[in-house]
Amino acid sequence: MATTPEEFFVKDLIEQSPKSPSVLLGVFSPKPDGRSEDCHHSPSDMMLPYISRMLMEDDIDDKPYDHPALLQVQKPFAQILSSPSSDCTNGDTEGAKDLLQDGSVDERTLPLALSKGTYAAGAFLKGMEEANMLLCRANGFRKDELANQMVRESSNHSGAKKRYASYDHIEEEVIRRTRKSMMIIKEPKDTCAHEMLDDMMLRGSETCIIRCMEKLRINMANEAEKSIRKGSRKAAANVVDIRTMLILCAQAVAANDHMRARELLTQIKQHASETGDVTQRLAQCFSKGLEARLLGMGSQVWQLLRAERLSSIDFLKAHNLYMAACSFNKVVLLFCTMTILRAVSGKRRLHIVDYGMRYGFHWADMLRLLASREGGPPKVKITAIGYPDLRPCPIEQIEDTGRRLSKCAHELGVPFNFFAIRKKWEEVSVEDLNTDAEEVLVVNDYLNFSTLMDESIFFDDPSPKDMVLHNIRKMRPNVFIQSIVNGSYGSSYLSRFRETLFYYTAIFDMFDATIPRESKLRVLLEQDLFGRFAVNVIACEGAEMMERPEKYKQWHARNQRAGLRQLPLEPSIVNVLKDKVMRCHHKDFLICEDGQWLLQGWMGRILFAQSTWVAEDVS
């Protein structure tokens, strides 16, 4: 279950498949005497432009390179990729040998081309191997009548995105997206994104969000005016209950009733649209997960979704829109900031341990507040704990965030140090933190602990969630600020599906009430950020499932078992947050208290919760 836009980018988790023999090495083979015959075309005119296009272009399949000699060279690869053989490793080699033996490729031109383009060919080989590693093992695909029918159904559904229903389709998508990833790595980063990041750090993210809120109100007012002008349309008498159909389809999938599930899925996709109403947008998202689950290809689809990362500029725009449209993350960050300011009041040294940092805008805002503190700012140290395997934020980006925060602190006149730890969260201990007895130690979880494994995955091993909490107790922080996603999947696939459906219905309904339907960034938020995690929860199992949230009462019991004691909510902080939500946001946002937890939700459904803790033996 996705929680926040700051959780949405990833690293490869799949098991590597054995490297296939290089087809290029079999095709581009010099003669025994090492000589090559002359050809009519210059190698630089033929091979290098072709390889350059293969590496750098997304739409190469739509714009084929039409040089006759190179088209002949390309034939073995086309046959391999479209080969019906289930053994792709052996099929690659045999396909190339057969074509060479048949004389369909002119060997005279190949050694000369290789001698002039060795480096480029090597780069292309590497790209092909990387694409092959993204492919699952042959027995992971189910090339049966079901898959072929799903392909036909998907192609007949106008306006729908590509469906991943067959081996060939998956393979083509992996190679295409791998080429795109290689292109992104080779090209310089978007300067606009860097400028936007610097602006949000130095001037404050709140300024950008306020501008976005004003623009959003104007757009929503215009949309309401258009609706009034067109007049209210009466709902059709035979409205399709898409939510019920989704649950029925999930029941059929769980029962392995493929025929019934396929029939329901076909009906659902007929009513799916990423630009429609709330249920149509949900159907667009959830049908992908159900289809992948039905075909037994959840892992492959998830890897494809992870391989296609948003650009930094698109993420930043979507982040600002999300912060402007709803109060959830804004309240989480304000609660965290106000709690820290209260804890460090009158103290000269502050140490923040942050699990899962990404861009760190809120820490820049906190530095700005500390800089204006009466008596001068304290000395601040931030230790960011990255998760190199499961989290979507690589350690390199955390270090880049540290450089920006250091620059911001320098301009504000705040003494500042930044450290990054690259370890699994359950392995981080107090010895890794270099703590000082004189500093105020704050441990912060920003909606991230739901990604940790729990007892339902490894029965014999300690729960990573419990291990993290035990280690936090040993750190003996002045305050542990916990922010959680409020949800529970239960023990069955159907209960997980229902909980995910209810949760995302509330999220999508909130977007519908606060963001215009024609907004392209809203589609990005729903389908590419939140939606991809919904697909993961629906389609995947075990260690490949990224989100395992729990209800706040479950976390309460877990924290107490780990030796933590809950602190009471500060009334002044709660009153400020409630006032801000009521004044600045939609009337259906919910903020309340229960058992010293601050709860947030939409139209009565609790979606997020926060509380503060210390070690039970700390006074």
Side-chain angles (χ1 to χ4, degrees):
M1 187 180 307
T3 62
T4 164
E6 296 206 5
E7 288 193 8
F8 311 108
F9 313 108
V10 295
K11 286 203 177 219
D12 194 8
L13 286 176
I14 58 171
E15 178 184 1
Q16 287 190 358
S17 59
K19 296 184 178 179
S20 61
S22 174
V23 179
L24 280 178
L25 292 179
V27 176
F28 296 119
S29 55
K31 294 184 177 181
D33 57 3
R35 294 179 291 106
S36 59
E37 298 183 17
D38 194 6
C39 59
H40 298 290
H41 305 284
S42 170
S44 61
D45 293 337
M46 292 166 36
M47 182 57 60
L48 295 181
Y50 174 74
I51 292 177
S52 176
R53 287 168 57 82
M54 287 292 291
L55 290 174
M56 301 301 292
E57 289 192 14
D58 258 349
D59 56 348
I60 191 167
D61 293 333
D62 300 329
K63 300 178 181 179
Y65 194 75
D66 54 3
H67 196 291
L70 292 178
L71 287 176
Q72 290 181 350
V73 176
Q74 190 179 8
K75 284 181 181 179
F77 310 111
Q79 178 164 335
I80 292 165
L81 291 179
S82 60
S83 173
S85 172
S86 62
D87 189 346
C88 56
T89 303
N90 295 331
D92 289 355
T93 306
E94 295 301 324
K97 288 180 178 178
D98 292 343
L99 283 175
L100 286 175
Q101 292 171 358
D102 292 342
S104 58
V105 178
D106 188 358
E107 292 185 352
R108 294 176 300 171
T109 64
L110 301 182
L112 182 58
L114 180 62
S115 65
K116 296 293 185 181
T118 303
Y119 178 79
F124 178 72
L125 279 170
K126 183 178 179 181
M128 291 293 291
E129 289 180 0
E130 290 176 355
N132 183 63
M133 286 191 295
L134 287 175
L135 297 175
C136 75
R137 300 182 185 274
N139 60 8
F141 295 100
R142 301 175 56 187
K143 295 183 59 180
D144 52 9
E145 179 59 28
L146 174 61
N148 295 330
Q149 182 168 348
M150 296 299 285
V151 173
R152 291 194 295 271
E153 292 170 355
S154 299
S155 62
N156 293 332
H157 180 54
S158 60
K161 285 187 174 181
K162 292 181 179 179
R163 307 293 183 179
Y164 313 106
S166 71
Y167 173 85
D168 296 333
H169 199 173
I170 288 283
E171 189 173 35
E172 292 168 3
E173 279 296 303
V174 171
I175 294 174
R176 183 186 71 80
R177 298 189 188 196
T178 302
R179 289 179 190 153
K180 182 175 181 181
S181 298
M182 292 174 65
M183 180 184 68
I184 293 173
I185 292 172
K186 289 177 179 292
E187 291 183 349
K189 292 183 179 179
D190 192 346
T191 56
C192 294
H194 284 283
E195 293 174 358
M196 190 172 181
L197 274 169
D198 292 336
D199 183 65
M200 292 177 70
M201 280 285 189
L202 298 177
R203 299 186 183 181
S205 59
E206 187 68 20
T207 303
C208 300
I209 294 170
I210 289 175
R211 289 199 300 262
C212 190
M213 289 180 70
E214 293 173 353
K215 184 178 180 180
L216 198 57
R217 289 193 183 100
I218 295 173
N219 292 338
M220 288 299 294
N222 292 337
E223 184 177 70
E225 186 177 347
K226 290 179 183 178
S227 300
I228 295 174
R229 193 180 302 120
K230 291 180 180 179
S232 58
R233 298 180 180 179
K234 294 183 179 180
N238 55 345
V239 175
V240 177
D241 188 351
I242 298 179
R243 291 189 183 91
T244 300
M245 292 176 63
L246 286 169
I247 293 176
L248 292 174
C249 185
Q251 289 176 340
V253 170
N256 292 321
D257 187 350
H258 288 185
M259 182 175 294
R260 174 61 173 163
R262 185 167 64 250
E263 292 173 355
L264 288 167
L265 190 57
T266 300
Q267 298 178 46
I268 291 169
K269 290 195 289 185
Q270 290 174 352
H271 300 281
S273 170
E274 65 181 19
T275 57
D277 59 24
V278 174
T279 55
Q280 290 171 331
R281 292 171 185 243
L282 276 170
Q284 175 74 9
C285 172
F286 276 58
S287 61
K288 296 177 186 177
L290 286 169
E291 186 172 24
R293 180 90 179 191
L294 181 62
L295 293 168
M297 296 168 63
S299 175
Q300 295 89 326
V301 171
W302 173 237
Q303 298 310 320
L304 290 176
L305 291 174
R306 296 180 59 194
E308 203 166 73
R309 294 170 53 174
L310 286 179
S311 66
S312 295
I313 192 69
D314 285 340
F315 171 80
L316 292 174
K317 290 179 179 178
H319 168 268
N320 288 345
L321 176 63
Y322 180 79
M323 295 291 286
C326 75
S327 62
F328 299 145
N329 279 26
K330 191 177 300 182
V331 168
V332 169
L333 297 177
L334 283 174
F335 179 87
C336 173
T337 300
M338 296 173 72
T339 300
I340 292 175
L341 292 177
R342 178 178 172 83
V344 79
S345 177
K347 304 297 176 61
R348 304 303 304 171
R349 304 182 71 176
L350 171 64
H351 185 183
I352 300 171
V353 178
D354 189 18
Y355 285 84
M357 177 185 291
R358 184 163 173 73
Y359 286 113
F361 304 130
H362 54 293
W363 297 132
D365 293 335
M366 191 193 68
L367 291 174
R368 197 167 289 104
L369 293 172
L370 290 173
S372 61
R373 190 180 74 164
E374 184 177 354
K379 183 178 180 180
V380 179
K381 177 168 65 176
I382 294 181
T383 299
I385 304 175
Y387 212 135
D389 296 326
L390 296 181
R391 302 304 305 150
C393 179
I395 197 70
E396 292 79 10
Q397 181 159 343
I398 293 178
E399 292 170 349
D400 189 52
T401 297
R403 286 189 289 270
R404 284 194 168 87
L405 286 172
S406 297
K407 180 181 178 181
C408 179
H410 177 74
E411 296 196 7
L412 294 170
V414 178
F416 182 78
N417 287 304
F418 184 89
F419 302 94
I421 296 178
R422 184 170 187 164
K423 272 189 174 183
K424 291 184 177 181
W425 292 350
E426 59 267 31
E427 297 176 358
V428 176
S429 64
V430 65
E431 289 77 15
D432 299 312
L433 303 180
N434 191 24
T435 57
D436 190 312
E438 297 181 1
E439 64 189 15
V440 174
L441 179 62
V442 176
V443 177
N444 182 60
D445 163 37
Y446 179 25
L447 303 170
N448 287 310
F449 283 179
S450 61
T451 61
L452 292 167
M453 295 283 189
D454 54 27
E455 293 84 358
S456 65
I457 305 299
F458 300 115
F459 292 96
D460 296 333
D461 297 335
S463 165
K465 289 181 179 178
D466 290 339
M467 292 172 67
V468 169
L469 295 174
H470 278 288
N471 287 334
I472 290 175
R473 177 185 60 81
K474 293 177 182 178
M475 295 175 191
R476 300 177 64 82
N478 294 78
V479 59
F480 163 44
I481 305 171
Q482 186 177 27
S483 307
I484 63 108
V485 180
N486 188 65
S488 180
Y489 287 158
S491 57
S492 69
Y493 175 74
L494 190 57
S495 64
R496 184 209 310 174
F497 185 89
R498 288 177 180 272
E499 179 70 21
T500 305
L501 179 61
F502 295 153
Y503 186 93
Y504 281 92
T505 296
I507 293 291
F508 278 42
D509 187 69
M510 180 270 296
F511 285 144
D512 197 56
T514 56
I515 306 176
R517 287 187 177 180
E518 63 269 17
S519 170
K520 294 181 179 179
L521 285 177
R522 175 180 167 184
V523 174
L524 188 150
L525 277 172
E526 292 174 337
Q527 303 298 327
D528 293 334
L529 296 186
F530 283 88
R532 70 171 58 191
F533 284 92
V535 172
N536 172 265
V537 170
I538 296 168
C540 297
E541 286 290 342
E544 291 178 341
M545 204 168 69
M546 298 295 294
E547 293 283 337
R548 301 166 193 84
E550 294 182 346
K551 299 283 189 180
Y552 69 93
K553 291 184 178 180
Q554 291 175 288
W555 276 110
H556 191 101
R558 189 184 289 275
N559 290 350
Q560 288 182 329
R561 290 198 305 269
L564 296 171
R565 173 171 56 85
Q566 190 178 30
L567 296 176
L569 292 172
E570 177 59 38
S572 60
I573 295 177
V574 174
N575 291 336
V576 169
L577 296 177
K578 286 183 177 179
D579 180 68
K580 192 171 186 66
V581 171
M582 289 186 290
R583 285 190 301 104
C584 303
H585 292 278
H586 195 279
K587 61 181 178 62
D588 286 325
F589 281 105
L590 167 69
I591 182 168
C592 61
E593 304 168 62
D594 180 38
Q596 303 304 321
W597 285 83
L598 182 67
L599 309 178
Q600 289 191 84
W602 174 258
M603 297 185 68
R605 183 173 184 85
I606 304 300
L607 302 176
F608 302 96
Q610 287 177 278
S611 64
T612 54
W613 301 77
V614 294
E616 59 184 356
D617 56 346
V618 172
S619 59

